[in-house]
């Protein structure tokens, strides 16, 4: 078994700086906002940003790869992150040095490092586990490439050659024959979020038409869920319907973002629909909370 650590470039400092900036900006906005909805969305964003950044910081600092007789293994964060590439599935490799150019599907990157899934110029879909842009190895398999930046790059290349893995060149073709509407991993959450948005939009209208909403209702709240503006039941219903329309617009944007990503990588397309789903659920919970507390 042979172990190789990856190079450590300037990516850690960049990620720590961005994490600090995200926290400072969101905390400033939280301090000055006086809206219950905005406050909850910002708190959700704060948690997401910190978890996202912490994951990639830990990934950056712990990446290494290992060869055994059957597999090339790339692992990090103890055993939480592990990619196993059978040697028999490796079609070849190529190397590059310098600025990393491509389209990011998800992850963090600058021109000097890249962690996540990307579409790299002349390489195609790649799982990027690159901490430094000097001597990047792209390991090609049938589905995608895996990119790493071993510290002992000469020895790493010798190990590849000793296992009959040759240096090759290849061309990448965009897959335009994708049908997300036939994929249950996309279709089911899309249907769920569509139903939630319909409930969010139509529920207050139906309640208003059935006289199920009091004549006086809160229209906006401070961060502690205390009403700061009151209005009629009709105004409340209209406000909630506007939130539903805004969620429809978000779903529309996420739908087309998913289709854009699907031509490169189908799995990366799923996350966009879940963004819309999480936001819609949050708005629906807030609507029910208002109705329960003030009807």
């Amino acid at each position: 078994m042979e172990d190789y650590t990856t190079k450590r470039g300037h990516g850690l400092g960049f990620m720590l700086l961005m994490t600090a900036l995200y926290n400072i900006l969101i905390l400033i906005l939280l301090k000055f906002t006086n809206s219950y909805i905005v406050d909850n969305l910002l708190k959700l964003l704060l948690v997401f940003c910190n978890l996202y950044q912490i994951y990639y910081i830990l990934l950056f600092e712990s990446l290494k790869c290992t060869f055994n007789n059957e597999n090339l293994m790339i692992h990090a964060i103890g055993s939480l992150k592990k990619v196993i590439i059978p040697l028999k599935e490796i079609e070849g490799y190529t190397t590059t040095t310098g600025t990393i150019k491509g389209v990011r599907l998800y992850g963090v990157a600058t021109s000097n490092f890249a962690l996540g899934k990307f579409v790299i110029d002349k390489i195609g879909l790649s799982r990027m586990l690159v901490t430094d842009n000097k001597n990047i190895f792209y390991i090609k398999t049938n589905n995608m490439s895996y990119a790493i930046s071993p510290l002992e790059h000469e020895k790493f290349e010798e190990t590849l050659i000793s296992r009959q893995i040759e240096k090759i060149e290849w061309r990448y073709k965009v897959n335009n024959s994708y049908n997300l509407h036939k994929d249950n991993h996309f279709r089911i959450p899309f249907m769920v979020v569509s139903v939630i948005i319909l409930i969010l939009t139509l529920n207050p209208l139906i309640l208003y038409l059935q006289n199920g909403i009091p004549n006086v209702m809160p229209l906006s709240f401070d961060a502690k869920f205390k009403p700061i503006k009151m209005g009629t039941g009709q105004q409340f219903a209209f406000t909630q319907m506007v939130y539903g329309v805004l969620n429809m617009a978000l779903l529309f944007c996420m739908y087309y973002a998913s289709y854009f990503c699907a031509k490169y990588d189908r799995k990366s397309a799923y996350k966009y629909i879940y963004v819309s789903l999480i936001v819609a659920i949050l708005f629906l919970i807030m609507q029910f909370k208002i109705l329960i507390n003030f009807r």
Side-chain angles (χ1 to χ4, degrees), residues 63-267:
L63 266 172
K64 64 179 181 178
C65 52
T66 303
F67 277 102
N68 61 24
N69 292 331
E70 297 180 351
N71 304 304
L72 167 59
M73 294 172 288
I74 306 169
H75 38 98
I77 319 177
S79 58
L80 293 178
K81 178 72 175 180
K82 183 180 288 186
V83 178
I84 299 175
I85 312 170
L87 295 177
K88 62 182 180 181
E89 294 183 7
I90 297 176
E91 299 176 3
Y93 75 96
T94 190
T95 59
T96 66
T97 295
T99 301
I100 301 170
K101 297 179 180 180
V103 177
R104 177 171 56 186
L105 301 180
Y106 65 80
V108 295
T110 65
S111 60
N112 298 316
F113 83 99
L115 300 172
K117 194 171 284 188
F118 293 71
V119 181
I120 302 298
D121 290 357
K122 300 180 181 179
I123 301 293
L125 181 65
S126 300
R127 180 74 63 83
M128 302 297 289
L129 299 161
V130 174
T131 55
D132 188 89
N133 66 350
K134 296 179 181 178
N135 301 300
I136 302 172
F137 284 78
Y138 290 91
I139 311 297
K140 187 181 187 305
T141 67
N142 182 51
N143 295 322
M144 73 170 68
S145 300
Y146 297 86
I148 51 178
S149 52
L151 183 61
E152 300 177 277
H153 61 92
E154 293 179 351
K155 185 179 177 183
F156 184 85
E157 188 165 17
E158 290 173 0
T159 303
L160 288 172
I161 294 171
S162 70
R163 284 166 167 74
Q164 288 76 51
I165 300 171
E166 299 179 354
K167 193 171 186 177
I168 62 173
E169 293 184 2
W170 64 89
R171 293 183 178 180
Y172 175 70
K173 294 182 179 179
V174 175
N175 176 25
N176 291 313
S177 61
Y178 56 93
N179 293 303
L180 277 178
H181 63 278
K182 295 181 180 180
D183 187 339
N184 285 335
H185 291 92
F186 177 85
R187 183 171 59 180
I188 291 174
F190 178 80
M191 292 173 63
V192 171
V193 70
S194 297
V195 170
I196 290 174
I197 291 174
L198 283 175
I199 295 172
L200 176 65
T201 307
L202 297 179
N203 182 52
L205 176 62
I206 293 171
L207 288 174
Y208 172 73
L209 294 176
Q210 294 179 343
N211 295 318
I213 297 177
N215 292 329
V216 179
M217 285 290 287
L219 301 181
S220 59
F221 300 82
D222 64 15
K224 296 181 179 180
F225 198 62
K226 293 181 179 179
I228 56 177
K229 183 179 180 181
M230 304 298 289
T232 65
Q234 182 182 22
Q235 289 175 316
F236 170 79
F238 178 77
T239 300
Q240 293 298 313
M241 290 174 68
V242 169
Y243 291 149
V245 172
L246 291 175
N247 273 271
M248 289 181 191
L250 177 63
L251 176 59
F252 180 82
C253 294
M254 294 299 101
Y255 178 86
Y256 280 97
S258 295
Y259 262 81
F260 171 79
C261 277
K263 65 182 178 181
Y264 300 112
D265 178 49
R266 184 183 295 270
K267 291 183 180 179

